[in-house]
Amino acid sequence: MARTWFITGTSSGFGRLLTEQALERGDRVAATLRRPEALDDLVERFDDRLWVARMDVTDAARVREVVDRAFRELGTVDVVVNNAGRGISASVEEATDEQIRDIVETNLLGSIHVVRAALPHLRAQGHGRIVQISTAGGQTTYPSFGYYHAAKWGVEGFCETAAREIAPFGIGLTIVQPGATPTGFAGALATAPEMPEYAASPAGEVRRALAAGDFPLPNDPDKIVRAVLDLVDSGEVPLRLPLGEDTYRDVRASLVARLAEHDAHRDTALSVARSD
């Protein structure tokens, strides 16, 4: 059965690929992006099955306006995909205040704006799915990506809470965690002037690897999008879906280490209980 998707950040990367693959299999897509002309070729190919609107997820009022209009004009939306995002490669000292604000407003607050705008409509129709595109960096960390992690860890905490709150309304939510993938994301990373003090640090090493094109990108973007489509088709609603050998390896190692450290402090944790 054909579905209707609402997808943010559709000009490139996973958003563009998901839009294309959903349309190619006969679904409808409400595609939002800051530059609608980037989808002119798809509008020509798919005509009335592609609904396009200009939207910047950092503009909460505009998000509400576009989401309201999409539901009103399309009648129903089955899947809301929070994909819009951007990255930055810089040590915690190097990034500017403006860059930090931009990352948080786009990746964290932008996703929150979309979920909040969509929920009244999803509740009213009594069904729906939210797919939050996160990253391996939503549960583990890499040097030079501290502010990207801050936003992604934040949105995963928000989504984990929201998933529990909206389940009684028949709305499912899944956090998708792709690993490093050649989508153009690395080439679009914001950067900041490098401080010499960090040149020999892990942050400097990562920055040089990115600049030299030596940062491994082991995953296939088309297969990742196919996995998202398959997940929605299956009807299963896992809270998180890791995608990529690197995601599976790195997130698992992080979780194991965190649990070991957590358990190492068991006696201290229990020792502060009130005696009464």
Side-chain angles (χ1 to χ4, degrees):
M1 185 175 64
R3 291 184 173 85
T4 300
W5 300 69
F6 183 97
I7 307 173
T8 69
T10 56
S11 62
S12 62
F14 293 128
R16 166 83 184 207
L17 289 173
L18 183 55
T19 297
E20 289 184 15
Q21 291 194 24
L23 289 167
E24 286 169 353
R25 71 183 203 159
D27 291 350
R28 293 190 303 174
V29 177
T32 72
L33 65 171
R34 290 177 296 166
R35 297 181 297 102
E37 62 274 13
L39 295 184
D40 284 351
D41 61 318
L42 295 186
V43 171
E44 185 175 345
R45 286 174 60 195
F46 297 102
D47 194 23
D48 60 351
R49 284 198 291 112
L50 177 58
W51 184 99
V52 179
R54 184 187 306 275
M55 190 179 83
D56 185 330
V57 295
T58 66
D59 184 341
R62 178 62 176 169
V63 169
R64 289 192 296 271
E65 176 187 337
V66 171
V67 170
D68 289 349
R69 185 159 61 89
F71 276 88
R72 183 173 64 251
E73 295 181 5
L74 298 175
T76 186
V77 172
D78 303 296
V79 189
V80 175
V81 182
N82 250 334
N83 169 75
R86 60 187 62 174
I88 181 172
S89 173
S91 76
V92 294
E93 283 194 80
E94 291 166 342
T96 67
D97 293 345
E98 182 180 8
Q99 287 176 320
I100 297 167
R101 187 179 305 110
D102 182 58
I103 289 296
V104 172
E105 288 184 349
T106 302
N107 296 300
L108 175 56
L109 296 181
S111 293
I112 291 173
H113 295 330
V114 173
V115 171
R116 283 169 53 84
L119 280 179
H121 300 284
L122 296 175
R123 282 193 294 102
Q125 68 186 25
H127 76 278
R129 293 284 297 271
I130 297 171
V131 176
Q132 175 67 52
I133 304 299
S134 181
T135 166
Q139 285 290 301
T140 189
T141 62
Y142 304 95
S144 192
F145 287 94
Y147 294 107
Y148 184 66
H149 292 313
K152 288 299 188 179
W153 281 58
V155 81
E156 290 211 13
F158 168 78
C159 286
E160 186 166 332
T161 304
R164 297 172 66 182
E165 294 178 353
I166 65 180
F169 305 124
I171 306 167
L173 189 155
T174 296
I175 301 165
V176 175
Q177 300 170 318
T181 310
T183 60
F185 177 81
L189 282 172
T191 59
E194 184 174 357
M195 295 173 56
E197 293 87 349
Y198 283 90
S201 75
E205 293 173 7
V206 169
R207 173 175 290 195
R208 285 190 293 276
L210 287 168
D214 294 333
F215 196 87
L217 303 170
N219 302 301
D220 185 322
D222 287 305
K223 290 181 179 179
I224 286 176
V225 167
R226 182 72 252 173
V228 173
L229 291 168
D230 289 346
L231 173 70
V232 171
D233 289 346
S234 74
E236 298 178 2
V237 191
L239 178 60
R240 288 182 174 85
L241 178 67
L243 292 175
E245 180 182 349
D246 52 341
T247 295
Y248 183 83
R249 178 193 65 236
D250 295 348
V251 172
R252 188 179 189 283
S254 179
L255 294 173
V256 169
R258 286 160 59 190
L259 184 59
E261 185 173 42
H262 181 81
D263 287 344
H265 297 288
R266 177 181 181 278
D267 292 343
T268 302
L270 300 182
S271 71
V272 302
R274 287 173 46 163
S275 58
D276 59 352

